[in-house]
Amino acid sequence: MAGTIPEEEELMKELQERIVQDGKVLSASVLKVDAFLNHQVDPQLTMKIGQRFAELFAGEKITKVVTIEASGIHFAMATSFALGVPFIYAKKKKAVTLTEEVYSAPVHSFTRQETYQISVSRQYLSKEDRVLIVDDFLATGAALVGLTNIIKDAGAHLVGVGAVIEKSFQEGRGLLEQAGVRIESLARIESMSPEGIHFIEEEPARV
Ligand code: 5GP
């Protein structure tokens, strides 16, 4: 309809506005969004994000959505609900209940300056799977590269990555693109400082 903003643009705008209003730039590289994204969570916004990822990857015959605990879980849940498939969250610590064989990969956390092992039970990923990875942030890409290695080990097909916020000035996108991975980020931050946040303005993909 003439004069109305398409839904995908509305969501991008809403997300950008929330990042500006409720986010806090802690340094040139760290954005705190725990008022609405990854500590206190806005469920309506989360469900819209899941719906959007499902639309962007519609037709890809996705069988599983995969994320890492903890801050990707609600986005994976919303996306998998919209797609009607299960989601898996990679565990950061091996639980005593995780008795079966696992796929695992090391992830170096630059925010915590430590390397940890992520793991997924071999029971839940196989070469028949078509996987969409979803996470809250695409930053250095370390976490998502770890996940892509797990998916490769399982022989599953990686359809792409959906990130809610991408800090485009960090190397994550480049790393994943080099590996030929399709990336859809809903808010792309070009630069940020306590004075302001600059987004990469682009036409949202029409699906
Ligand atoms: P990576 O650097 O591996 O791409 O990001 C790993 C994880 O660190 C993300 O999934 C996210 O949970 C967290 N992270 C990275 N950058 C930020 C940031 O600027 N703010 C917050 N709140 N979390 C971040």
Side-chain angles (χ1 to χ4, degrees):
M1 223 195 302
T4 59
I5 306 175
E7 258 174 47
E8 61 268 20
E9 257 172 66
E10 223 171 272
L11 175 60
M12 275 171 96
K13 275 183 139 220
E14 181 181 351
L15 195 52
Q16 289 187 0
E17 279 166 15
R18 288 297 291 274
I19 292 169
V20 170
Q21 273 166 29
D22 300 335
K24 268 208 174 89
V25 178
L26 295 188
S27 70
S29 63
V30 180
L31 175 67
K32 195 171 153 91
V33 282
D34 65 0
F36 66 106
L37 269 195
N38 58 17
H39 187 35
Q40 173 171 264
V41 175
D42 178 333
Q44 276 80 23
L45 181 62
T46 300
M47 294 310 280
K48 283 191 240 176
I49 287 168
Q51 184 64 40
R52 181 65 186 141
F53 284 142
E55 285 163 10
L56 283 164
F57 291 95
E60 289 281 5
K61 298 192 169 65
I62 291 160
T63 61
K64 301 267 164 81
V65 176
V66 173
T67 192
I68 301 190
E69 64 178 352
S71 50
I73 292 179
H74 44 298
F75 299 111
M77 161 88 192
T79 309
S80 66
F81 182 77
L83 288 167
V85 299
F87 76 95
I88 302 167
Y89 59 96
K91 303 214 174 186
K92 284 183 179 165
K93 285 213 173 97
K94 197 170 176 228
V96 284
T97 48
L98 201 62
T99 48
E100 63 277 8
E101 288 291 296
V102 294
Y103 297 110
S104 67
V107 172
H108 182 72
S109 164
F110 292 89
T111 41
R112 297 196 183 135
Q113 283 301 314
E114 61 178 23
T115 298
Y116 56 92
Q117 205 71 17
I118 55 170
S119 52
V120 168
S121 167
R122 286 180 183 249
Q123 254 190 301
Y124 303 123
L125 269 184
S126 77
K127 58 180 175 17
E128 272 75 49
D129 281 314
R130 293 180 59 80
V131 176
L132 171 63
I133 294 177
V134 163
D135 208 359
D136 58 343
F137 273 92
L138 172 56
T140 67
L144 297 186
V145 168
L147 273 187
T148 61
N149 287 334
I150 282 182
I151 288 155
K152 218 181 286 166
D153 282 355
H157 177 77
L158 177 62
V159 164
V161 165
V164 182
I165 301 175
E166 172 185 314
K167 290 183 291 177
S168 307
F169 53 89
Q170 292 183 295
E171 61 272 36
R173 172 175 280 266
L175 277 180
L176 291 172
E177 276 179 349
Q178 263 172 30
V181 178
R182 174 183 168 194
I183 306 158
E184 297 288 350
S185 304
L186 302 184
R188 299 184 66 196
I189 298 175
E190 190 169 42
S191 63
M192 62 187 198
S193 72
E195 283 72 51
I197 301 174
H198 282 271
F199 294 96
I200 296 178
E201 298 293 347
E202 56 189 355
E203 282 287 299
R206 295 278 142 80
V207 289

